[in-house]
Each structure stands twice: as C-alpha cells, then as structure tokens.
Amino acid sequence: MKHITIVAPNCQTNLGTVACIAGAYEIFSRAGEYFKESGNKELYKIEIAGVASNTALAGGLFSVNIHTPVADIKRTNLVIIPSLNANFEKGGKGNTEIIDWIVNQYKNGAEIATMCSGAFMLASTGLLDGRSCSTHWNYANLFRTLYPDVNLQPDELITDENGIYTNGGAYSFLNLALYLVEKYYDRKTAIFCSKVFQIEMDRQSQSPFIIFRGQKQHNDEMVKEAQAYIESQLTEKISIETLSSKFSVGRRNFDRRFIKATGNTPIEYMQRVKVESAKRAFETTRKSINEIMYEVGYSDLKAFREVFRKFTGVSPLVYRSKYNKDAAGI
C-alpha cells in the first residue's frame, strides 16, 4: 500500500492550518472509501504526521493527535504541507526537523503539495528555485522579496511541476485536494468528492479574488513615486516615455527598475491599477460598463474587456453580476 502524509507543523500555525489538515484528511479518506466501494483495492494509507504526539495548532486553540512522528516515516508518496501564519521566516526555523524530512522525502521520490502559505515553508528548502509556484495573492509581494529565485504565479490557482504542487490562498486548498484526488485515484473519484463536499471542479485561477494593492514592499524611491503618479492619473493614458522622462530616467533603465521593484512592467502596473478601480466601481455602484470604462481611462470597449479579463479571468459583465446584485440587471 502506498502512503500519503499530511504534515502538522510544529509552530507558526493558524486556523487555516487546522482547516487544511482537517479538510485534506477528510477528503482523501472519503476518496479512499469511495474508491474501495467501487470495487478497487485500497491504494493509500493516509496519516497526519508531525514532531510531537499532540501538536498544538492556532496558538493552542486546537490540537491534533498525530498518527505517527515524521521521523518514523521512512518513505511516503505524497507530502501535503498546510498553510502557516504570516511569520514565515520563524515558521521555517521552528519546523527544521519537518523541513529536513520533506527534503529527504522529495529526494527519495515523494511528491510535495503545499496549501496556501505553506509554499513559504517549501520555498525555504530551495526546492522551488527556478520552478513555478502559487500562494495566497495577499502574500505575493512578500514571497517575491524572500524568494526571488522562485517563478511566482499568483494568478494561478494550482501549479504542477516536477512532482511539486502549489495552490492559491485560503480555502482554495479544497480545489487542490480535488486535483490531487484525481491524480492519485481517478476522475470518477474526484467528481464524487466534488459532489459530496460541494466543491467546484476544475477551478484554475484565483484572479477574480485578487485585490491589487500595488507592490510597494521595495526600497526604490523613484519607482514608488512613479507608482503614486500612475495611481493619481487613473483617467489618463500615460506613455512610458512620458513617465520615464518625468523622473529623468532612460526608458530602458526605467523599465528595468520598475520590473525589479514591482514584478510588473509599467504598462502592466497601469492596467492593474485601472482594473482594480473598475472592480471597486462594479462592486459598489450602479454605473454602466461604459461609464466605468471611461472613468479608468479606456475609450475602446473591446480593449477594456480584454484587459479586465486578463487580470480577473472574467468579463466586466460577469464580474458585476457576481459581486453586485443591485446592478446585475443593468
């Protein structure tokens, strides 16, 4: 029989950690039961593993009685890392034994899956360097700062590369669980779990949920001033040449510094600022799509739709109908 390990971190846990551990265990357990009920042999033994026999979670509000210490698991097929709280660097230092075990398991052929901010723990091992990764959109800027060698994809709900799976934020771990059930069992079992637990199948993006606040956790003052200027000129079309000359920097150097500081090109940053403003207007007003489009500096409806869909995954009309019931019929 093969083996799936759900990790119970030793420290830096929160309520999200509890949800990830309990949710993953319940979904995989039910998947195994259904797979066996369908006439198949039992495939996986599912265990929660940690360092202490009784592991306190979420500041002691909850605790979990682990099935086995990680040191006693010599070989597993899949390791699932739950989310952590926001003090990620301490989380890595406090979970050294678990981290070392995870690295050894991966070297021995195990696959690794991280849920939400659990990606920070895995990134601290170096296993994500040069690879694609997702995490909660709210932690994207910090993640880029701490782990610049990782190819962060914050719009993606799930990444799957070289036996490493990561996913976006919060309760989207449920979507990763379904994805893994399909991988480790089959599509039929995943559909069954989708129906039993009422989780939408095949979600691929967390873009509709992202709140863009601007990437300002950097020390380039010129870029910060450029960001502030862009945000103050929502209705205007600003050329990059005009912007770079305003700050007495050559276009190529301006682009380079802006990308290094924010992770976006200046054009992408302008688009994201405008789309975020449009999203707020769709959520809180009864203005028409055309009115909002003009307010954020677009005059071409097709271009506005394309940019809006690029950053949200849906059209302006669908977004408004989803988040503003009062305006849905306009």
Side-chain angles (χ1 to χ4, degrees):
M1 189 184 300
K2 296 182 179 179
H3 192 271
I4 295 174
T5 305
I6 302 169
V7 169
N10 196 43
C11 62
Q12 301 308 125
T13 60
N14 57 16
L15 290 175
T17 315
V18 178
C20 287
I21 293 172
Y25 186 76
E26 183 175 19
I27 290 170
F28 272 95
S29 296
R30 189 65 187 93
E33 291 170 5
Y34 175 78
F35 193 74
K36 193 173 179 181
E37 289 165 3
S38 301
N40 302 293
K41 292 183 179 179
E42 189 173 359
L43 284 183
Y44 298 99
K45 181 179 182 180
I46 303 154
E47 290 190 300
I48 300 172
V51 175
S53 59
N54 185 278
T55 301
L57 303 173
L61 186 62
F62 293 90
S63 64
V64 58
N65 293 315
I66 64 170
H67 293 108
T68 186
V70 290
D72 290 350
I73 300 176
K74 303 307 178 186
R75 191 173 184 86
T76 190
N77 297 93
L78 173 66
V79 178
I80 297 175
I81 303 172
S83 66
L84 302 171
N85 72 12
N87 202 340
F88 302 114
E89 290 174 304
K90 284 188 177 180
K93 293 174 183 176
N95 289 295
T96 303
E97 184 177 342
I98 290 175
I99 288 171
D100 291 344
W101 175 84
I102 289 169
V103 172
N104 288 331
Q105 290 298 320
Y106 185 71
K107 289 178 179 177
N108 289 330
E111 296 191 322
I112 314 293
T114 70
M115 295 175 161
C116 189
S117 53
F120 283 79
M121 178 186 281
L122 187 59
S124 71
T125 68
L127 292 178
L128 284 174
D129 288 357
R131 293 175 177 168
S132 296
C133 169
S134 184
T135 190
H136 196 297
W137 56 261
N138 199 35
Y139 302 138
N141 294 343
L142 177 59
F143 191 95
R144 285 193 186 97
T145 301
L146 293 177
Y147 305 109
D149 294 328
V150 179
N151 181 22
L152 185 65
Q153 302 288 327
D155 294 335
E156 296 297 321
L157 191 72
I158 295 170
T159 66
D160 176 347
E161 186 176 348
N162 298 113
I164 293 178
Y165 311 92
T166 68
N167 92 286
Y171 284 78
S172 69
F173 80 83
L174 296 169
N175 300 100
L176 175 63
L178 284 188
Y179 184 85
L180 292 171
V181 165
E182 183 171 354
K183 282 260 183 177
Y184 278 76
Y185 290 95
D186 54 28
R187 178 75 174 179
K188 180 182 176 184
T189 304
I191 291 172
F192 172 80
C193 288
S194 170
K195 292 179 178 179
V196 167
F197 295 106
Q198 300 185 43
I199 307 166
E200 185 180 348
M201 287 284 290
D202 299 327
R203 268 189 59 208
Q204 297 181 2
S205 174
Q206 62 175 336
S207 296
F209 304 99
I210 292 175
I211 302 172
F212 184 70
R213 297 192 176 103
Q215 300 104 330
K216 295 174 182 174
Q217 293 178 322
H218 59 83
N219 298 315
D220 193 321
E221 293 303 320
M222 183 277 290
V223 173
K224 286 183 179 178
E225 289 181 30
Q227 289 174 276
Y229 182 78
I230 290 170
E231 291 161 13
S232 70
Q233 303 293 319
L234 261 184
T235 61
E236 304 299 322
K237 291 183 178 180
I238 310 168
S239 73
I240 305 305
E241 287 77 11
T242 300
L243 196 58
S244 60
S245 64
K246 178 179 176 62
F247 294 97
S248 304
V249 179
R251 167 67 190 268
R252 183 175 295 180
N253 189 36
F254 180 81
D255 282 353
R256 181 187 61 78
R257 287 175 63 176
F258 202 98
I259 293 169
K260 182 179 179 181
T262 70
N264 284 132
T265 68
I267 290 175
E268 286 171 340
Y269 194 87
M270 288 181 198
Q271 291 173 335
R272 297 192 73 159
V273 168
K274 290 175 182 292
V275 167
E276 192 60 34
S277 180
K279 284 165 59 181
R280 288 194 295 270
F282 284 133
E283 293 163 5
T284 59
T285 75
R286 292 176 61 85
K287 292 177 181 177
S288 69
I289 291 174
N290 280 350
E291 285 177 301
I292 293 171
M293 175 186 74
Y294 291 128
E295 285 183 359
V296 297
Y298 284 90
S299 56
D300 183 321
L301 185 56
K302 182 180 178 182
F304 176 63
R305 283 175 178 158
E306 288 176 352
V307 170
F308 193 90
R309 185 182 289 275
K310 174 184 176 182
F311 292 109
T312 67
V314 296
S315 70
L317 185 62
V318 169
Y319 189 91
R320 185 180 63 181
S321 65
K322 188 171 185 178
Y323 292 103
N324 190 334
K325 290 182 180 180
D326 290 338
I330 296 176

PDB file of all heavy atoms in Angstrom, residues 76-81 102 105-107 109-114 122 127-128 131-132 159-166 176 179-180 183-184:
ATOM      1  N   THR A  76       7.280   7.960   1.828  1.00  0.00           N
ATOM      2  CA  THR A  76       5.895   8.300   1.533  1.00  0.00           C
ATOM      3  C   THR A  76       5.805   8.682   0.067  1.00  0.00           C
ATOM      4  O   THR A  76       6.817   8.971  -0.573  1.00  0.00           O
ATOM      5  CB  THR A  76       5.400   9.437   2.448  1.00  0.00           C
ATOM      6  OG1 THR A  76       3.987   9.593   2.314  1.00  0.00           O
ATOM      7  CG2 THR A  76       6.067  10.766   2.101  1.00  0.00           C
ATOM      8  N   ASN A  77       4.585   8.681  -0.457  1.00  0.00           N
ATOM      9  CA  ASN A  77       4.399   9.009  -1.879  1.00  0.00           C
ATOM     10  C   ASN A  77       4.005  10.464  -2.099  1.00  0.00           C
ATOM     11  O   ASN A  77       4.339  11.055  -3.120  1.00  0.00           O
ATOM     12  CB  ASN A  77       3.340   8.090  -2.488  1.00  0.00           C
ATOM     13  CG  ASN A  77       3.747   6.642  -2.458  1.00  0.00           C
ATOM     14  OD1 ASN A  77       3.412   5.920  -1.519  1.00  0.00           O
ATOM     15  ND2 ASN A  77       4.502   6.199  -3.455  1.00  0.00           N
ATOM     16  N   LEU A  78       3.290  11.028  -1.130  1.00  0.00           N
ATOM     17  CA  LEU A  78       2.832  12.416  -1.251  1.00  0.00           C
ATOM     18  C   LEU A  78       2.894  13.081   0.114  1.00  0.00           C
ATOM     19  O   LEU A  78       2.407  12.524   1.105  1.00  0.00           O
ATOM     20  CB  LEU A  78       1.399  12.465  -1.792  1.00  0.00           C
ATOM     21  CG  LEU A  78       0.727  13.847  -1.826  1.00  0.00           C
ATOM     22  CD1 LEU A  78       1.430  14.777  -2.821  1.00  0.00           C
ATOM     23  CD2 LEU A  78      -0.765  13.717  -2.182  1.00  0.00           C
ATOM     24  N   VAL A  79       3.493  14.261   0.167  1.00  0.00           N
ATOM     25  CA  VAL A  79       3.530  15.074   1.383  1.00  0.00           C
ATOM     26  C   VAL A  79       2.659  16.302   1.160  1.00  0.00           C
ATOM     27  O   VAL A  79       2.839  17.025   0.172  1.00  0.00           O
ATOM     28  CB  VAL A  79       4.966  15.519   1.722  1.00  0.00           C
ATOM     29  CG1 VAL A  79       4.970  16.397   2.973  1.00  0.00           C
ATOM     30  CG2 VAL A  79       5.881  14.320   1.900  1.00  0.00           C
ATOM     31  N   ILE A  80       1.730  16.556   2.047  1.00  0.00           N
ATOM     32  CA  ILE A  80       0.858  17.736   1.958  1.00  0.00           C
ATOM     33  C   ILE A  80       1.230  18.696   3.086  1.00  0.00           C
ATOM     34  O   ILE A  80       1.165  18.336   4.270  1.00  0.00           O
ATOM     35  CB  ILE A  80      -0.626  17.342   2.058  1.00  0.00           C
ATOM     36  CG1 ILE A  80      -1.010  16.440   0.875  1.00  0.00           C
ATOM     37  CG2 ILE A  80      -1.508  18.594   2.072  1.00  0.00           C
ATOM     38  CD1 ILE A  80      -2.420  15.900   0.952  1.00  0.00           C
ATOM     39  N   ILE A  81       1.620  19.909   2.715  1.00  0.00           N
ATOM     40  CA  ILE A  81       2.007  20.944   3.676  1.00  0.00           C
ATOM     41  C   ILE A  81       0.853  21.943   3.795  1.00  0.00           C
ATOM     42  O   ILE A  81       0.479  22.571   2.803  1.00  0.00           O
ATOM     43  CB  ILE A  81       3.271  21.679   3.221  1.00  0.00           C
ATOM     44  CG1 ILE A  81       4.428  20.684   3.005  1.00  0.00           C
ATOM     45  CG2 ILE A  81       3.678  22.751   4.233  1.00  0.00           C
ATOM     46  CD1 ILE A  81       5.661  21.314   2.359  1.00  0.00           C
ATOM     47  N   ILE A 102      11.037  16.614   4.783  1.00  0.00           N
ATOM     48  CA  ILE A 102      10.383  16.842   3.493  1.00  0.00           C
ATOM     49  C   ILE A 102      11.402  16.802   2.348  1.00  0.00           C
ATOM     50  O   ILE A 102      11.163  16.187   1.301  1.00  0.00           O
ATOM     51  CB  ILE A 102       9.643  18.199   3.503  1.00  0.00           C
ATOM     52  CG1 ILE A 102       8.409  18.128   4.411  1.00  0.00           C
ATOM     53  CG2 ILE A 102       9.229  18.616   2.083  1.00  0.00           C
ATOM     54  CD1 ILE A 102       7.771  19.468   4.690  1.00  0.00           C
ATOM     55  N   GLN A 105      12.409  13.261   1.691  1.00  0.00           N
ATOM     56  CA  GLN A 105      11.344  12.507   1.033  1.00  0.00           C
ATOM     57  C   GLN A 105      11.275  12.843  -0.461  1.00  0.00           C
ATOM     58  O   GLN A 105      11.093  11.960  -1.303  1.00  0.00           O
ATOM     59  CB  GLN A 105       9.993  12.793   1.701  1.00  0.00           C
ATOM     60  CG  GLN A 105       9.849  12.206   3.092  1.00  0.00           C
ATOM     61  CD  GLN A 105       9.949  10.692   3.105  1.00  0.00           C
ATOM     62  OE1 GLN A 105       9.434  10.010   2.224  1.00  0.00           O
ATOM     63  NE2 GLN A 105      10.647  10.162   4.111  1.00  0.00           N
ATOM     64  N   TYR A 106      11.435  14.123  -0.778  1.00  0.00           N
ATOM     65  CA  TYR A 106      11.403  14.518  -2.196  1.00  0.00           C
ATOM     66  C   TYR A 106      12.579  13.891  -2.954  1.00  0.00           C
ATOM     67  O   TYR A 106      12.426  13.409  -4.079  1.00  0.00           O
ATOM     68  CB  TYR A 106      11.434  16.040  -2.325  1.00  0.00           C
ATOM     69  CG  TYR A 106      11.287  16.515  -3.766  1.00  0.00           C
ATOM     70  CD1 TYR A 106      10.070  16.394  -4.431  1.00  0.00           C
ATOM     71  CD2 TYR A 106      12.365  17.072  -4.449  1.00  0.00           C
ATOM     72  CE1 TYR A 106       9.923  16.818  -5.743  1.00  0.00           C
ATOM     73  CE2 TYR A 106      12.231  17.499  -5.763  1.00  0.00           C
ATOM     74  CZ  TYR A 106      11.004  17.366  -6.403  1.00  0.00           C
ATOM     75  OH  TYR A 106      10.877  17.780  -7.716  1.00  0.00           O
ATOM     76  N   LYS A 107      13.732  13.885  -2.339  1.00  0.00           N
ATOM     77  CA  LYS A 107      14.909  13.266  -2.961  1.00  0.00           C
ATOM     78  C   LYS A 107      14.704  11.770  -3.177  1.00  0.00           C
ATOM     79  O   LYS A 107      15.262  11.182  -4.117  1.00  0.00           O
ATOM     80  CB  LYS A 107      16.150  13.510  -2.096  1.00  0.00           C
ATOM     81  CG  LYS A 107      16.643  14.942  -2.101  1.00  0.00           C
ATOM     82  CD  LYS A 107      17.850  15.113  -1.191  1.00  0.00           C
ATOM     83  CE  LYS A 107      18.367  16.549  -1.223  1.00  0.00           C
ATOM     84  NZ  LYS A 107      19.508  16.751  -0.284  1.00  0.00           N
ATOM     85  N   GLY A 109      11.864  10.461  -4.012  1.00  0.00           N
ATOM     86  CA  GLY A 109      10.801  10.216  -4.985  1.00  0.00           C
ATOM     87  C   GLY A 109       9.410  10.649  -4.603  1.00  0.00           C
ATOM     88  O   GLY A 109       8.466  10.501  -5.398  1.00  0.00           O
ATOM     89  N   ALA A 110       9.224  11.179  -3.397  1.00  0.00           N
ATOM     90  CA  ALA A 110       7.892  11.640  -2.995  1.00  0.00           C
ATOM     91  C   ALA A 110       7.525  12.910  -3.733  1.00  0.00           C
ATOM     92  O   ALA A 110       8.389  13.698  -4.127  1.00  0.00           O
ATOM     93  CB  ALA A 110       7.864  11.899  -1.487  1.00  0.00           C
ATOM     94  N   GLU A 111       6.235  13.120  -3.933  1.00  0.00           N
ATOM     95  CA  GLU A 111       5.739  14.384  -4.455  1.00  0.00           C
ATOM     96  C   GLU A 111       5.330  15.269  -3.275  1.00  0.00           C
ATOM     97  O   GLU A 111       5.018  14.770  -2.189  1.00  0.00           O
ATOM     98  CB  GLU A 111       4.561  14.160  -5.401  1.00  0.00           C
ATOM     99  CG  GLU A 111       4.961  13.384  -6.650  1.00  0.00           C
ATOM    100  CD  GLU A 111       3.887  13.377  -7.720  1.00  0.00           C
ATOM    101  OE1 GLU A 111       2.698  13.285  -7.364  1.00  0.00           O
ATOM    102  OE2 GLU A 111       4.243  13.463  -8.916  1.00  0.00           O
ATOM    103  N   ILE A 112       5.362  16.585  -3.497  1.00  0.00           N
ATOM    104  CA  ILE A 112       5.075  17.548  -2.426  1.00  0.00           C
ATOM    105  C   ILE A 112       3.947  18.467  -2.882  1.00  0.00           C
ATOM    106  O   ILE A 112       3.962  18.966  -4.010  1.00  0.00           O
ATOM    107  CB  ILE A 112       6.306  18.417  -2.089  1.00  0.00           C
ATOM    108  CG1 ILE A 112       7.576  17.573  -1.950  1.00  0.00           C
ATOM    109  CG2 ILE A 112       6.047  19.239  -0.837  1.00  0.00           C
ATOM    110  CD1 ILE A 112       7.590  16.644  -0.785  1.00  0.00           C
ATOM    111  N   ALA A 113       2.984  18.704  -1.993  1.00  0.00           N
ATOM    112  CA  ALA A 113       1.898  19.647  -2.275  1.00  0.00           C
ATOM    113  C   ALA A 113       1.820  20.669  -1.157  1.00  0.00           C
ATOM    114  O   ALA A 113       1.851  20.298   0.020  1.00  0.00           O
ATOM    115  CB  ALA A 113       0.567  18.912  -2.404  1.00  0.00           C
ATOM    116  N   THR A 114       1.759  21.955  -1.509  1.00  0.00           N
ATOM    117  CA  THR A 114       1.614  22.990  -0.490  1.00  0.00           C
ATOM    118  C   THR A 114       0.273  23.687  -0.645  1.00  0.00           C
ATOM    119  O   THR A 114      -0.207  23.902  -1.754  1.00  0.00           O
ATOM    120  CB  THR A 114       2.724  24.055  -0.582  1.00  0.00           C
ATOM    121  OG1 THR A 114       2.537  24.842  -1.768  1.00  0.00           O
ATOM    122  CG2 THR A 114       4.094  23.414  -0.622  1.00  0.00           C
ATOM    123  N   LEU A 122       8.021  25.406   1.924  1.00  0.00           N
ATOM    124  CA  LEU A 122       8.700  24.655   0.880  1.00  0.00           C
ATOM    125  C   LEU A 122       9.768  25.499   0.190  1.00  0.00           C
ATOM    126  O   LEU A 122      10.859  25.006  -0.121  1.00  0.00           O
ATOM    127  CB  LEU A 122       7.690  24.147  -0.150  1.00  0.00           C
ATOM    128  CG  LEU A 122       8.253  23.193  -1.203  1.00  0.00           C
ATOM    129  CD1 LEU A 122       8.859  21.958  -0.543  1.00  0.00           C
ATOM    130  CD2 LEU A 122       7.173  22.785  -2.201  1.00  0.00           C
ATOM    131  N   LEU A 127      13.769  23.930  -2.877  1.00  0.00           N
ATOM    132  CA  LEU A 127      13.202  23.022  -3.872  1.00  0.00           C
ATOM    133  C   LEU A 127      12.367  23.741  -4.920  1.00  0.00           C
ATOM    134  O   LEU A 127      12.128  23.204  -6.006  1.00  0.00           O
ATOM    135  CB  LEU A 127      12.342  21.951  -3.185  1.00  0.00           C
ATOM    136  CG  LEU A 127      13.083  20.927  -2.316  1.00  0.00           C
ATOM    137  CD1 LEU A 127      12.092  19.975  -1.660  1.00  0.00           C
ATOM    138  CD2 LEU A 127      14.092  20.149  -3.155  1.00  0.00           C
ATOM    139  N   LEU A 128      11.920  24.958  -4.607  1.00  0.00           N
ATOM    140  CA  LEU A 128      11.098  25.709  -5.568  1.00  0.00           C
ATOM    141  C   LEU A 128      11.923  26.634  -6.464  1.00  0.00           C
ATOM    142  O   LEU A 128      11.370  27.239  -7.386  1.00  0.00           O
ATOM    143  CB  LEU A 128      10.040  26.540  -4.826  1.00  0.00           C
ATOM    144  CG  LEU A 128       8.833  25.775  -4.285  1.00  0.00           C
ATOM    145  CD1 LEU A 128       7.953  26.703  -3.448  1.00  0.00           C
ATOM    146  CD2 LEU A 128       8.022  25.151  -5.410  1.00  0.00           C
ATOM    147  N   ARG A 131      11.352  27.160 -10.290  1.00  0.00           N
ATOM    148  CA  ARG A 131      10.102  26.483 -10.616  1.00  0.00           C
ATOM    149  C   ARG A 131       8.899  27.389 -10.378  1.00  0.00           C
ATOM    150  O   ARG A 131       8.974  28.363  -9.636  1.00  0.00           O
ATOM    151  CB  ARG A 131       9.959  25.211  -9.771  1.00  0.00           C
ATOM    152  CG  ARG A 131      10.999  24.159 -10.128  1.00  0.00           C
ATOM    153  CD  ARG A 131      10.922  22.975  -9.210  1.00  0.00           C
ATOM    154  NE  ARG A 131      11.873  21.947  -9.623  1.00  0.00           N
ATOM    155  CZ  ARG A 131      12.196  20.900  -8.898  1.00  0.00           C
ATOM    156  NH1 ARG A 131      11.645  20.731  -7.711  1.00  0.00           N
ATOM    157  NH2 ARG A 131      13.061  20.007  -9.337  1.00  0.00           N
ATOM    158  N   SER A 132       7.800  27.019 -10.986  1.00  0.00           N
ATOM    159  CA  SER A 132       6.567  27.792 -10.822  1.00  0.00           C
ATOM    160  C   SER A 132       5.926  27.485  -9.476  1.00  0.00           C
ATOM    161  O   SER A 132       6.035  26.373  -8.959  1.00  0.00           O
ATOM    162  CB  SER A 132       5.582  27.451 -11.950  1.00  0.00           C
ATOM    163  OG  SER A 132       6.112  27.835 -13.193  1.00  0.00           O
ATOM    164  N   THR A 159      -0.396  25.070  -9.360  1.00  0.00           N
ATOM    165  CA  THR A 159       0.739  24.796 -10.230  1.00  0.00           C
ATOM    166  C   THR A 159       1.147  23.338 -10.039  1.00  0.00           C
ATOM    167  O   THR A 159       0.980  22.768  -8.960  1.00  0.00           O
ATOM    168  CB  THR A 159       1.946  25.710  -9.948  1.00  0.00           C
ATOM    169  OG1 THR A 159       2.482  25.433  -8.643  1.00  0.00           O
ATOM    170  CG2 THR A 159       1.541  27.180 -10.040  1.00  0.00           C
ATOM    171  N   ASP A 160       1.683  22.754 -11.101  1.00  0.00           N
ATOM    172  CA  ASP A 160       2.034  21.333 -11.106  1.00  0.00           C
ATOM    173  C   ASP A 160       3.317  21.202 -11.914  1.00  0.00           C
ATOM    174  O   ASP A 160       3.298  21.305 -13.141  1.00  0.00           O
ATOM    175  CB  ASP A 160       0.878  20.549 -11.743  1.00  0.00           C
ATOM    176  CG  ASP A 160       1.164  19.054 -11.893  1.00  0.00           C
ATOM    177  OD1 ASP A 160       2.322  18.652 -11.741  1.00  0.00           O
ATOM    178  OD2 ASP A 160       0.209  18.301 -12.189  1.00  0.00           O
ATOM    179  N   GLU A 161       4.437  20.989 -11.229  1.00  0.00           N
ATOM    180  CA  GLU A 161       5.721  20.958 -11.930  1.00  0.00           C
ATOM    181  C   GLU A 161       6.709  20.062 -11.192  1.00  0.00           C
ATOM    182  O   GLU A 161       6.981  20.271 -10.005  1.00  0.00           O
ATOM    183  CB  GLU A 161       6.286  22.383 -12.051  1.00  0.00           C
ATOM    184  CG  GLU A 161       7.542  22.477 -12.896  1.00  0.00           C
ATOM    185  CD  GLU A 161       8.011  23.924 -13.077  1.00  0.00           C
ATOM    186  OE1 GLU A 161       7.242  24.862 -12.746  1.00  0.00           O
ATOM    187  OE2 GLU A 161       9.142  24.107 -13.531  1.00  0.00           O
ATOM    188  N   ASN A 162       7.221  19.069 -11.902  1.00  0.00           N
ATOM    189  CA  ASN A 162       8.263  18.183 -11.355  1.00  0.00           C
ATOM    190  C   ASN A 162       7.896  17.562 -10.016  1.00  0.00           C
ATOM    191  O   ASN A 162       8.712  17.480  -9.101  1.00  0.00           O
ATOM    192  CB  ASN A 162       9.589  18.946 -11.217  1.00  0.00           C
ATOM    193  CG  ASN A 162      10.122  19.427 -12.552  1.00  0.00           C
ATOM    194  OD1 ASN A 162      10.168  20.620 -12.802  1.00  0.00           O
ATOM    195  ND2 ASN A 162      10.512  18.510 -13.412  1.00  0.00           N
ATOM    196  N   GLY A 163       6.647  17.129  -9.901  1.00  0.00           N
ATOM    197  CA  GLY A 163       6.229  16.470  -8.669  1.00  0.00           C
ATOM    198  C   GLY A 163       5.988  17.400  -7.504  1.00  0.00           C
ATOM    199  O   GLY A 163       5.908  16.953  -6.363  1.00  0.00           O
ATOM    200  N   ILE A 164       5.875  18.701  -7.797  1.00  0.00           N
ATOM    201  CA  ILE A 164       5.565  19.685  -6.758  1.00  0.00           C
ATOM    202  C   ILE A 164       4.282  20.423  -7.146  1.00  0.00           C
ATOM    203  O   ILE A 164       4.178  20.957  -8.252  1.00  0.00           O
ATOM    204  CB  ILE A 164       6.713  20.680  -6.554  1.00  0.00           C
ATOM    205  CG1 ILE A 164       7.936  19.962  -5.971  1.00  0.00           C
ATOM    206  CG2 ILE A 164       6.291  21.825  -5.632  1.00  0.00           C
ATOM    207  CD1 ILE A 164       9.143  20.851  -5.766  1.00  0.00           C
ATOM    208  N   TYR A 165       3.333  20.432  -6.235  1.00  0.00           N
ATOM    209  CA  TYR A 165       2.053  21.110  -6.456  1.00  0.00           C
ATOM    210  C   TYR A 165       1.930  22.250  -5.463  1.00  0.00           C
ATOM    211  O   TYR A 165       2.239  22.094  -4.278  1.00  0.00           O
ATOM    212  CB  TYR A 165       0.882  20.142  -6.236  1.00  0.00           C
ATOM    213  CG  TYR A 165       1.017  18.826  -6.961  1.00  0.00           C
ATOM    214  CD1 TYR A 165       1.608  17.728  -6.338  1.00  0.00           C
ATOM    215  CD2 TYR A 165       0.557  18.675  -8.263  1.00  0.00           C
ATOM    216  CE1 TYR A 165       1.729  16.503  -6.995  1.00  0.00           C
ATOM    217  CE2 TYR A 165       0.674  17.458  -8.935  1.00  0.00           C
ATOM    218  CZ  TYR A 165       1.267  16.379  -8.293  1.00  0.00           C
ATOM    219  OH  TYR A 165       1.398  15.181  -8.951  1.00  0.00           O
ATOM    220  N   THR A 166       1.466  23.405  -5.928  1.00  0.00           N
ATOM    221  CA  THR A 166       1.183  24.517  -5.020  1.00  0.00           C
ATOM    222  C   THR A 166      -0.177  25.081  -5.377  1.00  0.00           C
ATOM    223  O   THR A 166      -0.687  24.845  -6.473  1.00  0.00           O
ATOM    224  CB  THR A 166       2.247  25.636  -5.114  1.00  0.00           C
ATOM    225  OG1 THR A 166       2.145  26.280  -6.402  1.00  0.00           O
ATOM    226  CG2 THR A 166       3.660  25.083  -4.948  1.00  0.00           C
ATOM    227  N   LEU A 176      -7.260  22.179  -4.645  1.00  0.00           N
ATOM    228  CA  LEU A 176      -6.041  21.393  -4.777  1.00  0.00           C
ATOM    229  C   LEU A 176      -6.296  19.958  -4.324  1.00  0.00           C
ATOM    230  O   LEU A 176      -5.806  19.003  -4.952  1.00  0.00           O
ATOM    231  CB  LEU A 176      -4.914  22.011  -3.956  1.00  0.00           C
ATOM    232  CG  LEU A 176      -3.608  21.204  -3.927  1.00  0.00           C
ATOM    233  CD1 LEU A 176      -3.013  21.093  -5.327  1.00  0.00           C
ATOM    234  CD2 LEU A 176      -2.598  21.834  -2.973  1.00  0.00           C
ATOM    235  N   TYR A 179      -7.918  18.150  -7.078  1.00  0.00           N
ATOM    236  CA  TYR A 179      -6.929  17.956  -8.146  1.00  0.00           C
ATOM    237  C   TYR A 179      -6.039  16.756  -7.824  1.00  0.00           C
ATOM    238  O   TYR A 179      -5.753  15.917  -8.690  1.00  0.00           O
ATOM    239  CB  TYR A 179      -6.097  19.226  -8.272  1.00  0.00           C
ATOM    240  CG  TYR A 179      -5.084  19.234  -9.401  1.00  0.00           C
ATOM    241  CD1 TYR A 179      -5.461  19.600 -10.690  1.00  0.00           C
ATOM    242  CD2 TYR A 179      -3.748  18.906  -9.171  1.00  0.00           C
ATOM    243  CE1 TYR A 179      -4.532  19.629 -11.729  1.00  0.00           C
ATOM    244  CE2 TYR A 179      -2.811  18.930 -10.192  1.00  0.00           C
ATOM    245  CZ  TYR A 179      -3.215  19.297 -11.471  1.00  0.00           C
ATOM    246  OH  TYR A 179      -2.287  19.315 -12.485  1.00  0.00           O
ATOM    247  N   LEU A 180      -5.628  16.652  -6.568  1.00  0.00           N
ATOM    248  CA  LEU A 180      -4.759  15.551  -6.155  1.00  0.00           C
ATOM    249  C   LEU A 180      -5.520  14.223  -6.082  1.00  0.00           C
ATOM    250  O   LEU A 180      -4.962  13.165  -6.396  1.00  0.00           O
ATOM    251  CB  LEU A 180      -4.122  15.861  -4.799  1.00  0.00           C
ATOM    252  CG  LEU A 180      -3.115  17.015  -4.806  1.00  0.00           C
ATOM    253  CD1 LEU A 180      -2.709  17.380  -3.379  1.00  0.00           C
ATOM    254  CD2 LEU A 180      -1.878  16.674  -5.631  1.00  0.00           C
ATOM    255  N   LYS A 183      -5.497  12.933  -9.462  1.00  0.00           N
ATOM    256  CA  LYS A 183      -4.162  12.438  -9.805  1.00  0.00           C
ATOM    257  C   LYS A 183      -3.877  11.090  -9.144  1.00  0.00           C
ATOM    258  O   LYS A 183      -3.290  10.196  -9.770  1.00  0.00           O
ATOM    259  CB  LYS A 183      -3.102  13.446  -9.334  1.00  0.00           C
ATOM    260  CG  LYS A 183      -2.954  14.666 -10.226  1.00  0.00           C
ATOM    261  CD  LYS A 183      -1.765  14.493 -11.136  1.00  0.00           C
ATOM    262  CE  LYS A 183      -1.539  15.723 -11.988  1.00  0.00           C
ATOM    263  NZ  LYS A 183      -0.341  15.594 -12.831  1.00  0.00           N
ATOM    264  N   TYR A 184      -4.263  10.953  -7.877  1.00  0.00           N
ATOM    265  CA  TYR A 184      -3.873   9.776  -7.104  1.00  0.00           C
ATOM    266  C   TYR A 184      -4.922   8.662  -7.139  1.00  0.00           C
ATOM    267  O   TYR A 184      -4.594   7.508  -6.849  1.00  0.00           O
ATOM    268  CB  TYR A 184      -3.552  10.182  -5.668  1.00  0.00           C
ATOM    269  CG  TYR A 184      -2.146  10.724  -5.552  1.00  0.00           C
ATOM    270  CD1 TYR A 184      -1.835  12.004  -6.002  1.00  0.00           C
ATOM    271  CD2 TYR A 184      -1.119   9.945  -5.052  1.00  0.00           C
ATOM    272  CE1 TYR A 184      -0.538  12.494  -5.939  1.00  0.00           C
ATOM    273  CE2 TYR A 184       0.184  10.415  -4.977  1.00  0.00           C
ATOM    274  CZ  TYR A 184       0.469  11.698  -5.432  1.00  0.00           C
ATOM    275  OH  TYR A 184       1.752  12.168  -5.392  1.00  0.00           O
TER     276      TYR A 184
END
